[in-house]
Amino acid sequence: MQYKIPRGTQDILPEQSRRWQYIEQKAHDLCKRYNYQEIRTPIFEQTELFARGVGDTTDIVQKEMYTFEDRGGRSLTLRPEGTASTVRSFVENKMHGWADQPAKLYYIGPMFRYERPQSGRMRQFVQLGVEAMGSADPAIDAEVIGLAYDFYRELGLTNLKLVINSLGDTQSRTKHREALINHFKPRIEEFCVDCQSRLEKNPLRILDCKVDSEHELMSSAPSILDYLNEDSITYFSKVQKFLDDMEIDYVVDATLVRGLDYYNNTAFEIMIDGEGFGAITTLTGGGRYNGLVEEIGGPTTPGIGFALSLERLLMALEAQGIELPVTSGLDAYLVTMGDEAKQVAPKLLHQLRKQGLTVDGDYMDKKMKAQMKAANRQNASYVLILGEDELNQNSVMVKTMASGEQELVPLDNLVQKIKS
Ligand code: HAM
């Protein structure tokens, strides 16, 4: 039997994992600067959390969840996104009682969706997500959007397009919902079965349908922006003003509705233009979710956040030819000659590592020449040659790889020599 990796997943091999580590570190650093703190929640949760949180008319909940029963008969689901879990944790741990509000949290971790795999669409992917809960200040919307935007810009990406929209507050949405039902109802049988069932449950979802996207009623559908009440208009214009002040360019697109149910007021996506990126151009999605904490059993608490996948980010970096400053290499490689030197090697390597040096040696009983080649392949700055002569003199022959120079260095001075 030949085992194969599951469809829509990938192995990240060492050459790639260096790039992953680099962008993960960037994410940690950036979130720290914005004063967001890391939260780690389980990979699986009660299924009901996502059905309620993400919304049971969404594609995610209807078609894409990895749901299973555990041995105790509980229905569990591999998390398809991180917001519902973060909000669950917020409620469970009573973070609304924290002295500092909003609670500013972020996470980096794998998410699972049973989607049709293609480039940029995986069944297991890693999201960086940011959630701020407890503040209804439009400044925090701008902060969250700014954080996502800065992340891409600091990594050197260009041709980014930030698209924003307002989905309005409950009152605005109720009016818009009625208008959508009236608009689609007379010809709903021309739409796919999913849309037909969405009509009464969640007509906004119809606008996001991939099957019916070309239908003439789509482009003439009532725009949410025409149904925003005074409060929603004021809120949206404040978010825009803050983005202007921060010199972040954006376009307003009234058709942006997002694929999850919990949004209201601000919704946004960051897309990327340009060749080499294929059909999938959305790098980040997010928005405000003022009703979600309550929906999940907590006190009325506003929230906003976003998530982006590191897979799509890496694709974008590659498409734009951006090299990340990742290096691999050793400070030193220990080449041993003869049995006695071999016996001393583990202790010497251990001492050097304890001093903070990145070192390796031979475990394959290679000849000296082959050991030298290994040192070269592994980008060692120095080769430390240890044979009988060196042992007798309590020293090591140190070869500087860049210049080819060799020098006999007493063991006591070795660390200093390498560090210099
Ligand atoms: P989402 O739009 O479903 O939102 O996903 C956010 C991002 O995750 C996408 O823009 C994309 O970068 C990435 N993504 C989604 N599905 C896949 C996939 N199958 N393969 C690779 N990347 C993918 C959310 O998940 C919300 N929780 C975002 C949010 C946080 N809203 C508020 N707070």
Side-chain angles (χ1 to χ4, degrees), residues 60 80-84 107 111 113 115 118 120-127 129-131 152 258-260 262-263 269-270 280 282-289 304-313:
I60 294 182
E81 58 104 52
T83 310
Y107 47 86
M111 308 292 160
R113 295 184 193 177
E115 295 198 82
Q118 50 183 296
R121 180 164 288 147
M122 313 280 298
R123 288 186 174 167
Q124 175 175 334
F125 55 97
V126 175
Q127 277 188 346
V130 160
E131 316 289 352
Y152 292 127
R258 307 275 303 122
L260 304 89
Y262 44 62
Y263 295 111
E269 290 189 352
I270 298 176
I280 310 242
T282 301
L283 295 182
T284 292
R288 187 160 268 290
Y289 46 86
I304 176 154
F306 73 80
L308 59 88
S309 72
L310 301 190
E311 285 81 358
R312 288 194 194 171
L313 166 60

Side-chain angles (χ1 to χ4, degrees), residues 14 21 48 74 93 97 119 148 212-213 226 240 278 292-293 334 341 409:
Q21 286 176 356
E48 186 56 24
R74 301 168 196 91
N93 293 294
S119 157
D212 295 317
S213 59
D226 295 330
Q240 292 179 57
L292 186 59
V293 178
L334 177 63
V409 178

Side-chain angles (χ1 to χ4, degrees), residues 140-155:
I140 200 93
D141 300 40
E143 174 178 287
V144 162
I145 296 172
L147 194 163
Y149 210 68
D150 273 359
F151 186 49
Y152 292 127
R153 277 207 298 216
E154 290 189 11
L155 285 165

Side-chain angles (χ1 to χ4, degrees), residues 5 10-18 20 126 311 314:
I5 192 167
Q10 63 175 335
D11 292 321
I12 297 164
L13 303 183
E15 199 182 318
Q16 282 298 323
S17 64
R18 280 195 284 275
W20 280 80
V126 175
E311 285 81 358
L314 283 161

Side-chain angles (χ1 to χ4, degrees), residues 109-304:
M111 308 292 160
F112 307 84
R113 295 184 193 177
Y114 189 80
E115 295 198 82
R116 200 165 57 77
Q118 50 183 296
S119 157
R121 180 164 288 147
M122 313 280 298
R123 288 186 174 167
Q124 175 175 334
F125 55 97
V126 175
Q127 277 188 346
L128 159 66
V130 160
E131 316 289 352
M133 285 172 279
S135 166
D137 184 339
I140 200 93
D141 300 40
E143 174 178 287
V144 162
I145 296 172
L147 194 163
Y149 210 68
D150 273 359
F151 186 49
Y152 292 127
R153 277 207 298 216
E154 290 189 11
L155 285 165
L157 281 179
T158 54
N159 292 336
L160 297 170
K161 185 168 133 193
L162 167 65
V163 181
I164 61 171
N165 190 21
S166 173
L167 301 175
D169 61 9
T170 313
Q171 190 191 45
S172 315
R173 287 186 66 150
T174 307
K175 285 203 175 143
H176 182 233
R177 187 190 138 86
E178 279 165 25
L180 284 172
I181 295 178
N182 292 336
H183 177 76
F184 287 114
K185 201 168 190 172
R187 292 174 64 187
I188 194 66
E189 67 285 353
E190 295 167 28
F191 286 72
C192 71
V193 279
D194 282 348
C195 282
Q196 293 182 18
S197 76
R198 285 168 184 146
L199 183 71
E200 297 291 340
K201 282 196 234 154
N202 192 350
L204 198 65
R205 269 283 65 69
I206 299 178
L207 300 179
D208 212 23
C209 180
K210 287 161 196 109
V211 182
D212 295 317
S213 59
E214 299 299 318
H215 194 289
E216 58 176 321
L217 284 191
M218 288 294 214
S219 54
S220 58
S223 162
I224 178 69
L225 294 182
D226 295 330
Y227 291 82
L228 296 183
N229 60 16
E230 270 308 305
D231 284 354
S232 303
I233 292 171
T234 308
Y235 194 92
F236 194 33
S237 58
K238 282 184 183 165
V239 174
Q240 292 179 57
K241 181 193 173 286
F242 288 133
L243 290 174
D244 292 336
D245 292 348
M246 289 157 71
E247 296 179 351
I248 293 176
D249 293 333
Y250 57 85
V251 291
V252 176
D253 180 350
T255 67
L256 178 77
V257 297
R258 307 275 303 122
L260 304 89
D261 275 356
Y262 44 62
Y263 295 111
N264 41 53
N265 288 312
T266 317
F268 71 98
E269 290 189 352
I270 298 176
M271 338 262 262
I272 189 153
D273 277 341
E275 282 177 29
F277 207 68
I280 310 242
T281 53
T282 301
L283 295 182
T284 292
R288 187 160 268 290
Y289 46 86
N290 291 349
L292 186 59
V293 178
E294 209 172 348
E295 182 74 37
I296 288 176
T300 309
T301 308
I304 176 154

